[in-house]
């Protein structure tokens, strides 16, 4: 039997994550590990004919020794779950910390698996799948992602379930303090003697006060988290604009969009990582209004945070596309409100596909809409770092440019407000839920599929995903970003649907309505059949 790698990858990406203890004890094949945030982070395979999913996932990755290829143990070796397996003096406390970590994984982490016949060349298939996998799905492979900080609230939930007493609680508190000491004063002997010392310096952020900011990013490849450049335009009370720009080392092997922005692995050599750059931005932008031109930049920051195990900064995001649509409605049918069109219409001067230049352009759009005159500060960091790309170039990663005859993208590419905010929607269809929908976590959209935007409809697997995504507000507090499977005619991402059914008590025979609440934004809500 012939297995296509892209189909196997699609199956792993779309599988419903399950507790590790449910891993089959009589099957082997490909599997993935899912972190406490619900993100697939590692793809692997059973290593021998005698090893089952259960042994590899539940017994090795979950309970194995940290520092080895046991990724749950490695990635959550922090805080009260930390231990140094080589330190005999702290073994008693360390064993309790490890037991807590094992239970944490049971409570808050998941796995997916794809059984294959014993005669299949599992090792070869694993290599082919890894070659196609998006970076975020293999962030743990080969230790390309740092261990998480302790998810304190989730650890507390596990401790509540365990009901541990003072002896165990004191032990894990001592381990937490030892972990903090180990981070502050790492033992030199534990690091490879030949390991290079990373020398990075993040450009200092300008001193305020500022009225608002505009932020833009460039990415290395199709993974939105592969940020390789960040630009922030800082608008002062006198409307002068000072621009802060930094390259970012995304620590990826694939560079797809160099032809657009001119940035490659050599360009970012020695540049700060995303985590290092975010440490500067998190406080600088806290509590301030941050504009983006479309939803791409906000979603990229969120994806990069996910790739690095960092919390998403709670910035007050706004969209300069919305501002432009309100200020110049005549452009809706005359080239749209992308930066390329606004550059021509407003007489803006900037080099497209440079994060600093695009951020400043978004800020100038807001100022023009206010009726204010933008003032260019003398800022050596604001010059273009790459050559301008012609506006006629196909912009595969630029979500801001409107295409003639194509609906404009959603303003938000990040979590929307819950349904309770009461935004008025336009009803586009109703679908009846079957038992198959409930068992397999999907919702058929066949009766009104043509009402979704064509550029959000992709092929039959994740490898042939659409160029744009829609936001689905399902009442869970945050929206889901997904495209649509054009073959099966349902939402491609389905991890949220099981919780949607459970949250609303949906049963076979109930109906679900779909409303459009904004361009590329939809609300899904249940409507119980009358008895």
């Amino acid at each position: 039997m012939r297995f296509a790698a892209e189909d196997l990858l699609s199956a792993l990406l779309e599988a419903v994550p399950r507790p590790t203890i449910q891993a089959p004890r009589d099957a082997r094949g490909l599997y993935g590990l899912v972190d406490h945030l619900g993100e697939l982070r590692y793809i692997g395979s059973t290593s021998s004919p005698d090893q089952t999913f259960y042994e590899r996932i539940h017994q090795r990755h979950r309970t194995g020794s940290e520092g080895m290829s046991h990724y749950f143990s490695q990635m959550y070796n922090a805080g009260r779950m930390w231990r140094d397996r080589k330190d005999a003096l702290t073994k008693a406390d360390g064993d309790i910390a490890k037991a807590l970590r094992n239970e944490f994984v049971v409570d808050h982490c998941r796995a997916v698996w794809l059984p294959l016949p014993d005669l299949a060349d599992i090792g070869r298939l694993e290599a082919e799948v890894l070659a196609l996998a998006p970076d975020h799905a293999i962030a743990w492979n080969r230790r390309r992602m740092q261990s998480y900080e302790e998810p304190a609230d989730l650890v507390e939930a596990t401790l509540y379930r365990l009901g541990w007493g003072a002896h165990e609680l004191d032990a894990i508190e001592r381990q937490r303090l030892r972990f903090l000491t180990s981070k502050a004063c790492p033992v030199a002997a534990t690091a490879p003697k030949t390991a290079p010392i990373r020398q990075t310096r993040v450009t200092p952020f300008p001193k305020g006060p500022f009225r608002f900011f505009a932020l833009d990013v460039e990415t290395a490849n199709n993974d939105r988290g592969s940020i390789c450049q960040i630009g922030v335009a800082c608008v002062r009370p006198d409307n002068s604009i000072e621009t802060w720009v930094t390259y970012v080392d995304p620590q990826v092997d694939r560079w797809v969009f160099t032809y657009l922005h001119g940035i490659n692995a050599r360009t970012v050599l020695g540049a700060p990582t995303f985590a290092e750059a975010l440490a500067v931005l998190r406080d600088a932008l806290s509590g301030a209004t941050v504009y983006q031109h479309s939803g791409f930049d906000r979603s990229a920051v969120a994806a990069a945070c996910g790739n690095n195990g960092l919390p998403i900064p709670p910035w007050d995001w706004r969209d300069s596309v919305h501002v432009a649509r309100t200020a110049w409605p005549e452009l809706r049918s005359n080239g749209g409100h992308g930066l390329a069109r606004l550059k021509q219409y407003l007489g803006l001067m900037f080099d497209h596909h440079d994060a600093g230049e695009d951020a400043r352009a978004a800020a100038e759009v807001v100022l023009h809409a206010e009726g204010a005159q933008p003032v260019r500060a003398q800022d050596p960091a604001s010059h273009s770092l790459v050559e301008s790309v012609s506006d006629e170039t196909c912009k595969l990663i630029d979500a801001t440019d409107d295409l003639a005859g194509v609906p404009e993208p959603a303003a938000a590419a990040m979590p929307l407000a819950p349904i309770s905010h009461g935004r008025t929607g336009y009803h586009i269809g109703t679908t009846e839920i079957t038992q198959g929908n409930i068992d397999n976590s999907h919702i058929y959209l066949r009766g009104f599929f043509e009402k979704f935007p064509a550029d959000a409809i992709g092929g039959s697997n994740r490898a042939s995903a659409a160029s744009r995504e829609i936001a689905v507000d399902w009442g869970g507090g945050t929206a889901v970003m997904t495209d649509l499977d054009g073959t099966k005619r349902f939402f491609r991402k389905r991890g949220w649907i099981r919780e949607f059914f459970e949250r609303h008590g949906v049963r076979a025979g109930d109906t679900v309505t779909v409303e459009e609440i904004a361009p590329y934004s939809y609300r899904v809500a249940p409507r119980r059949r009358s008895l």
Side-chain angles (χ1 to χ4, degrees):
M1 181 181 295
R2 172 65 180 173
F3 296 96
E6 65 175 20
D7 291 336
L8 297 176
L9 174 60
S10 179
L12 285 172
L13 292 173
E14 297 177 8
V16 176
R18 300 186 183 281
T20 60
I21 198 171
Q22 295 181 10
R25 301 171 186 245
D26 58 354
R28 52 190 297 263
L30 303 180
Y31 65 87
L33 305 182
V34 178
D35 69 5
H36 66 290
L37 301 171
E39 297 289 341
L40 179 66
R41 295 301 190 193
Y42 176 86
I43 294 177
S45 69
T46 51
S47 58
S48 72
D50 298 327
Q51 190 174 59
T52 66
F53 285 126
Y54 180 85
E55 179 184 358
R56 185 64 188 160
I57 297 171
H58 190 69
Q59 295 185 329
R60 297 292 182 89
H61 283 299
R62 184 181 69 91
T63 65
S65 294
E66 58 281 351
M68 304 178 70
S69 58
H70 305 137
Y71 282 92
F72 280 136
S73 292
Q74 176 67 24
M75 298 307 298
Y76 293 100
N77 190 34
R80 289 170 288 182
M81 299 184 288
W82 181 80
R83 76 159 186 171
D84 179 356
R85 63 187 178 88
K86 296 181 180 179
D87 187 354
L89 296 178
T90 62
K91 184 179 186 305
D93 289 351
D95 287 348
I96 295 173
K98 181 183 177 182
L100 172 61
R101 188 198 318 145
N102 294 346
E103 294 302 312
F104 172 89
V105 173
V106 168
D107 287 347
H108 306 296
C109 299
R110 295 292 183 265
V112 295
W113 45 84
L114 186 61
L116 295 172
D118 287 339
L119 296 179
D121 188 347
I122 295 177
R124 176 184 61 80
L125 293 172
E126 178 190 11
E128 292 178 357
V129 168
L130 290 175
L132 296 175
D135 290 337
H136 66 83
I138 52 175
W140 291 359
N141 291 66
R142 298 184 181 179
R143 310 264 172 84
R144 288 183 289 183
M145 181 174 170
Q146 294 181 346
S147 300
Y148 295 105
E149 297 292 334
E150 178 193 320
D153 291 345
L154 299 182
V155 171
E156 289 292 341
T158 295
L159 288 171
Y160 179 81
R161 175 179 67 82
L162 294 173
W164 279 357
H167 171 70
E168 292 85 0
L169 296 179
D170 289 345
I172 60 176
E173 176 60 19
R174 288 192 292 268
Q175 287 302 103
R176 185 186 70 84
L177 296 175
R178 289 166 181 152
F179 170 71
L180 294 176
T181 301
S182 72
K183 288 185 65 178
C185 304
V187 180
T190 61
K193 294 182 179 180
T194 58
I197 299 175
R198 182 179 176 86
Q199 298 281 354
T200 60
R201 174 179 175 272
V202 183
T203 303
F205 201 81
K207 299 294 184 181
F210 299 108
R211 288 179 52 207
F212 64 85
F213 301 93
L215 183 146
D216 187 88
V217 303
E218 301 293 334
T219 60
N221 55 49
N222 288 301
D223 177 6
R224 293 193 176 198
S226 64
I227 293 175
C228 59
Q229 189 188 33
I230 303 174
V232 180
C234 314
V235 181
R236 296 189 181 278
D238 64 355
N239 297 332
S240 63
I241 303 174
E242 188 170 351
T243 308
W244 178 89
V245 186
T246 183
Y247 288 121
V248 176
D249 182 357
Q251 300 180 311
V252 298
D253 297 325
R254 292 200 296 267
W255 288 82
V256 177
F257 299 127
T258 298
Y259 78 99
L260 279 176
H261 47 53
I263 305 171
N264 56 30
R266 183 179 296 275
T267 309
V268 302
L269 188 63
T273 63
F274 174 78
E276 291 166 336
L278 185 65
V280 172
L281 293 179
R282 185 182 295 279
D283 293 335
L285 304 185
S286 177
T289 298
V290 182
Y291 281 94
Q292 59 180 335
H293 204 76
S294 90
F296 179 84
D297 306 285
R298 183 180 181 182
S299 66
V301 170
C305 287
N307 288 352
N308 290 274
L310 300 171
I312 300 173
W315 298 332
D316 180 17
W317 287 96
R318 307 286 177 85
D319 193 342
S320 53
V321 172
H322 276 174
V323 174
R325 289 173 181 166
T326 301
W328 305 289
E330 65 273 15
L331 294 181
R332 181 174 291 275
S333 58
N334 185 24
H337 296 87
L339 284 180
R341 179 68 181 100
L342 291 170
K343 176 180 182 180
Q344 178 185 25
Y345 189 76
L346 300 176
L348 306 180
M349 297 177 60
F350 66 96
D351 290 330
H352 208 7
H353 294 302
D354 172 83
E357 293 278 289
D358 286 347
R360 179 167 48 78
E364 290 187 355
V365 167
V366 175
L367 290 173
H368 277 290
E370 290 178 346
Q373 181 61 40
V375 179
R376 292 182 172 228
Q378 294 299 316
D379 178 13
S382 66
H383 65 278
S384 174
L385 300 176
V386 296
E387 292 297 321
S388 174
V389 180
S390 118
D391 288 341
E392 285 74 31
T393 303
C394 178
K395 301 172 180 64
L396 297 182
I397 61 172
D398 189 352
T400 70
D401 293 328
D402 300 327
L403 304 178
V406 178
E408 292 179 347
M414 277 295 299
L416 297 174
I419 290 174
S420 59
H421 282 208
R423 288 170 294 176
T424 302
Y426 169 71
H427 180 266
I428 67 168
T430 300
T431 183
E432 182 173 326
I433 300 302
T434 67
Q435 190 60 47
N437 293 147
I438 294 175
D439 292 341
N440 296 288
S441 300
H442 53 57
I443 298 172
Y444 290 129
L445 310 171
R446 295 167 179 166
F448 46 93
F449 197 70
E450 71 284 352
K451 295 184 179 180
F452 290 100
D455 55 348
I457 300 174
S460 60
N461 54 58
R462 186 67 63 90
S464 56
S467 60
R468 293 185 179 180
E469 294 181 325
I470 61 172
V472 181
D473 186 344
W474 55 280
T478 59
V480 172
M481 298 304 302
T482 181
D483 69 323
L484 298 120
D485 186 320
T487 301
K488 304 180 185 72
R489 297 197 173 191
F490 52 48
F491 301 115
R492 189 182 305 281
K493 291 183 181 177
R494 296 181 288 150
W496 58 277
I497 295 179
R498 180 178 297 276
E499 184 176 349
F500 169 78
F501 287 155
E502 293 174 352
R503 175 186 290 264
H504 297 290
V506 176
R507 305 188 304 269
D510 291 345
T511 56
V512 167
T513 63
V514 180
E515 297 177 326
E516 182 179 6
I517 54 178
Y520 288 76
S521 297
Y522 297 84
R523 176 190 293 124
V524 176
R527 186 173 67 186
R528 187 68 53 80
R529 285 193 309 177
S530 300
L531 298 178

